[in-house]
Amino acid sequence: MLDPTKLAAIALDEHERRSASARRQVDAGRLPGHVAQRELGPWQAIAVICGAPGVLHAEVTDYRRTIVHYPGNGGPAVYGHLLSEQDARWDLACDLCPPSVWRAALAKARDAALGKATTPERVQRARNLCILARALDVPLTAASCARPVQSERKAA
């Protein structure tokens, strides 16, 4: 089992990288703000699920507070019920971005990072995206299972 603190740190790092990139593109006029916000949705959802510190913390707290909980099976309503933090995180993440969308975005980012893993920094980022994908049950693709291209083969 992966350390939740490490998973949160990886998700926060990826969220911060992508947020900074989106801000630069918006500031340069290459991307409208609403498009940048939409493209950040999957990464915001992933950061929320992983418990990245500071990412929508107040919203997670609000999601925990339900007014009435109906347990089902004829049980009486429970007033002042609190959802678990993880359930609140999943509910908020699903409202931010559908799971099929953030899973696809993570798979695409993982596969792209694996294809570019030629320097130690890029290898570490690819590893981190693989850890994130594995922890969030993102399925492997043909690209994520392919052998990396060796620099000697590129020259040949």
Side-chain angles (χ1 to χ4, degrees), residues 17-93:
R17 284 175 186 253
R18 291 177 184 275
S19 295
S21 175
R23 269 192 305 278
R24 284 191 304 271
Q25 289 183 19
V26 168
D27 291 345
R30 292 188 304 250
L31 194 64
H34 70 281
V35 174
Q37 191 61 32
R38 184 181 66 227
E39 289 180 3
L40 284 175
W43 301 101
Q44 202 169 33
I46 290 166
V48 167
I49 291 168
C50 294
V55 179
L56 300 177
H57 179 73
E59 287 82 351
V60 171
T61 302
D62 286 344
Y63 266 67
R64 288 195 69 202
R65 295 183 189 126
T66 59
I67 297 170
V68 180
H69 170 66
Y70 297 98
N73 295 331
V78 179
Y79 296 89
H81 178 76
L82 283 177
L83 290 176
S84 72
E85 184 172 338
Q86 194 58 37
D87 286 345
R89 288 186 177 286
W90 274 99
D91 287 350
L92 175 57

Side-chain angles (χ1 to χ4, degrees), residues 124-135:
Q124 186 58 49
R125 187 170 184 197
R127 283 183 180 149
N128 286 343
L129 285 167
C130 287
I131 290 168
L132 204 55
R134 186 174 56 241

